[in-house]
Amino acid sequence: MLVIRQPQLEAFREQPRILFEREMASYLREYFPFEARHADVDGWVRKGLRQAGLYGFTSWRDSAQYLALMAMLGADFPDDPAMPWARAIVSDGSKDPAERMTMLFDRAVEYLEATCGPRGVWFDRALARLLRLDPGVVESSHPRAVAGRIGEELTRLYPQKAAAIGEGALREIVRMGGVESASRREWLFRAACMFFLGAGFAGDPCFPWAAPGVGFEQMYRGFSQWGEAYGR
C-alpha cells in the first residue's frame, strides 16, 4: 500500500505557491528588466505577495500589479509619507480588492507623472545631480540647522518632487533619514535615498546594496554603482 508521509504531503501543498511565485518572478523579469537584473527577485516576490495578501490582493492580476507598484513606488509604498493616498486606498474596506487595485494603479500613474515628468526626465536629471552630491555638504551646519539644511538640499536636487509631496512629507522623510544614521553625512544620504527611491529603500529587494546591516560606506558605493548602471 502506498503511504504518503507528512513531509511529502507538505511538499505537494507547497507546489501551487512555488509555481505562482515563479510566474510572478518571470513577469517581473519581462516587464521590469533593469530592476530585476539588479534586484533580489525572489525576495521581491516573497515580500510583495506577503504584503499584497495582507490587503486582500490575491488574484494573479492584483498580485502582479502590486509587485509592479513596488518597482515604481518603492517596496513599502503604503507606509511612505510621500504617498498618504496609498495607505488610504489599500485600507479602504468599502471597496473590493479589484476596485482598490485599479484606484491605486491610476493614482500611482498620476503621482509619477507629477513627480517624474514626461518619460521620467525630471527623475533622471535629479538622480544625475544626486550622484554628484557630496554628503559632506551638511558638515558645517549648526546642529539645530542640520534637518533644515538637508531639506533644502533635497529640494535643490529634486524640486518637482519636493513641490508635489509638500513640506510636511519632506520634513518627515528628513526626520526618518536621521533615525538610524550615525553621522550627518549618513543622515543626508539616507534621507536622499528615501526621497528618491522610497521611504523603505533600506530592505527593499530592488536595492540589495541597502540590505539591513550594510554599513554606510558600502551602501554609498552600492548606490553609486546602481545609479551609474541606471543612467547607461
Side-chain angles (χ1 to χ4, degrees):
M1 185 175 108
L2 177 65
V3 177
I4 300 179
R5 303 185 187 280
Q6 188 63 30
Q8 294 171 307
L9 186 60
E10 293 300 325
F12 287 141
R13 289 172 176 167
E14 284 286 293
Q15 285 304 307
R17 181 186 63 80
I18 292 171
L19 291 174
F20 187 62
E21 289 181 355
R22 287 177 180 171
E23 287 184 6
M24 292 295 104
S26 296
Y27 163 80
L28 293 176
R29 291 189 175 97
E30 179 178 357
Y31 290 98
F32 297 91
F34 174 83
E35 290 82 358
R37 192 162 58 248
H38 295 272
D40 170 11
V41 176
D42 291 337
W44 182 355
V45 170
R46 287 193 299 270
K47 179 169 185 170
L49 294 182
R50 183 170 63 251
Q51 288 183 353
L54 293 175
Y55 302 123
F57 301 127
T58 56
S59 71
W60 198 103
R61 170 187 174 274
D62 291 345
S63 297
Q65 289 195 316
Y66 193 93
L67 292 169
L69 288 167
M70 290 173 68
M72 296 186 287
L73 305 175
D76 296 323
F77 67 88
D79 298 316
D80 195 318
M83 295 170 274
W85 46 266
R87 168 60 63 183
I89 293 173
V90 298
S91 304
D92 186 353
S94 68
K95 295 179 176 59
D96 64 39
E99 286 182 285
R100 284 186 281 123
M101 180 53 69
T102 297
M103 291 173 60
L104 189 60
F105 215 86
D106 289 346
R107 185 65 182 83
V109 170
E110 293 176 4
Y111 171 79
L112 292 171
E113 289 176 347
T115 56
C116 296
R119 302 180 67 85
V121 66
W122 295 343
F123 176 83
D124 293 345
R125 291 172 181 171
L127 182 61
R129 288 191 286 269
L130 177 58
L131 288 167
R132 297 192 297 269
L133 175 68
D134 174 11
V137 297
V138 294
E139 295 289 3
S140 61
S141 300
H142 187 280
R144 294 181 180 176
V146 176
R149 180 70 181 85
I150 291 174
E152 292 172 358
E153 194 62 23
L154 297 185
T155 300
R156 181 190 70 81
L157 292 169
Y158 200 168
Q160 297 89 355
K161 185 165 186 175
I165 69 173
E167 292 183 6
L170 184 62
R171 282 196 300 270
E172 178 60 13
I173 289 170
V174 172
R175 185 198 67 77
M176 292 171 63
V179 171
E180 297 184 13
S181 299
S183 67
R184 295 181 179 187
R185 292 168 56 87
E186 185 174 354
W187 185 359
L188 172 58
F189 174 72
R190 283 184 176 274
C193 286
M194 288 180 172
F195 184 50
F196 276 72
L197 307 177
F201 87 97
D204 188 327
C206 286
F207 310 117
W209 45 267
V214 174
F216 168 59
E217 296 299 335
Q218 182 180 351
M219 187 184 296
Y220 185 75
R221 288 195 298 272
F223 163 75
S224 299
Q225 292 168 357
W226 173 87
E228 290 171 2
Y230 179 90
R232 292 193 187 113

